[in-house]
Amino acid sequence: MKIKLARDVLESNDRIAREVRDLLSKRGILSVNILSSPGAGKTTILEHTIRDLGGGIRAAVIEGDLQGTIDAERIDALGVPVVQLNTEGGCHLTAGMVRDALEDLPLDRIDLLFIENVGNLVCPASFDIGESRRVVILSVPEGHDKPAKYPPVFATANALLLNKIDLLPHVAFDMEFLRASLARLNADLPVFEVVATVGRGFAPWLDWLRDGIRAAKEG
Ligand code: MG
Ligand code: ZN
């Protein structure tokens, strides 16, 4: 496990993002930017996903957090390469931070790179970090109104994981309202309903990832 101070650089973020995307696509690596509010279940989803993927798929993770190594330690326990980026208050990752973290990963032995962004539904949406796919996680207790209130992150996502779906009977969550908001923002968005703590509902999500990995390999 590597720990890095995440530094912003005075270069165009979009230019570095293109550089990162080129580097990863040349190596046939699928990169997935994981976005959500704090506590939606990003790290728990990564733990189950990495354990359940199988098929010899080699994963690695970049963990973005304001401080500390709590999430990176959980990933490290799975035995996959992980870099913890500490933003020291920065509320999103930038492409420059990701480029830095890549220096500490064995890129010739990775098929799938997860980049867990800082927990925040607002500004991470406007920073391209060179990812090939954007995945947003919404957990049921956060409420059905999140896409309507934070449109950019949902409008730019390639997939949505609806986590803690087992809590539906216990909270006022209007699934029709959610579906209608998503239809307006991002009509073709795949939605995977899961319970991350037990890995329930993961099969379609894992298939979606496997398709992406295959596509990245074929270039
Ligand atoms: Mg986390
Ligand atoms: Zn920010």
Side-chain angles (χ1 to χ4, degrees):
M1 181 175 91
K2 288 268 169 50
I3 305 155
K4 281 203 149 180
L5 201 57
R7 256 182 248 286
D8 227 340
V9 285
L10 294 169
E11 287 175 68
S12 149
N13 186 74
D14 285 350
R15 195 188 58 71
I16 306 174
R18 280 196 296 276
E19 194 184 304
V20 168
R21 189 173 291 108
D22 279 357
L23 174 77
L24 295 174
S25 76
K26 274 197 194 99
R27 290 174 178 269
I29 298 171
L30 177 73
S31 55
V32 182
N33 184 4
I34 308 276
L35 302 155
S36 82
S37 321
K42 291 187 294 302
T43 312
T44 306
I45 282 172
L46 289 187
E47 286 176 316
H48 270 275
T49 300
I50 289 166
R51 270 196 218 115
D52 295 353
L53 263 172
I57 293 166
R58 301 164 301 176
V61 179
I62 297 172
E63 280 288 345
D65 282 290
L66 302 197
Q67 56 176 291
T69 57
I70 293 173
D71 286 352
E73 285 167 29
R74 289 169 61 183
I75 299 299
D76 190 53
L78 301 172
V80 304
V82 55
V83 178
Q84 174 80 60
L85 286 175
N86 283 157
T87 61
E88 294 202 310
C91 48
H92 59 267
L93 294 181
T94 63
M97 297 173 186
V98 171
R99 183 178 63 183
D100 253 17
L102 292 180
E103 290 171 10
D104 288 320
L105 289 171
L107 297 181
D108 48 346
R109 301 193 302 277
I110 293 172
D111 306 303
L112 171 62
L113 173 64
F114 288 113
I115 307 162
E116 185 181 322
N117 219 307
V118 178
N120 173 357
L121 282 180
V122 188
C123 50
S126 44
F127 285 85
D128 181 359
I129 55 172
E131 76 272 28
S132 32
R133 303 273 195 285
R134 234 174 221 214
V135 171
V136 59
I137 299 166
L138 174 66
S139 66
V140 162
E142 293 171 65
H144 54 262
D145 57 357
K146 288 296 168 292
K149 291 169 83 171
Y150 302 92
V153 71
F154 293 92
T156 58
N158 300 111
L160 169 70
L161 285 155
L162 186 56
N163 189 25
K164 310 185 191 181
I165 198 82
D166 55 327
L167 298 180
L168 272 180
H170 309 289
V171 292
F173 189 94
D174 186 340
M175 191 64 87
E176 289 307 308
F177 186 100
L178 175 75
R179 297 268 174 202
S181 305
L182 293 175
R184 265 194 306 278
L185 290 169
N186 194 340
D188 300 322
L189 184 70
V191 177
F192 305 114
E193 299 184 0
V194 300
V195 183
T197 47
V198 295
R200 194 205 299 169
F202 269 43
W205 152 244
L206 297 176
D207 282 342
W208 184 86
L209 281 173
R210 290 184 192 112
D211 285 347
I213 292 164
R214 210 170 301 126
K217 289 262 179 264
E218 286 160 6

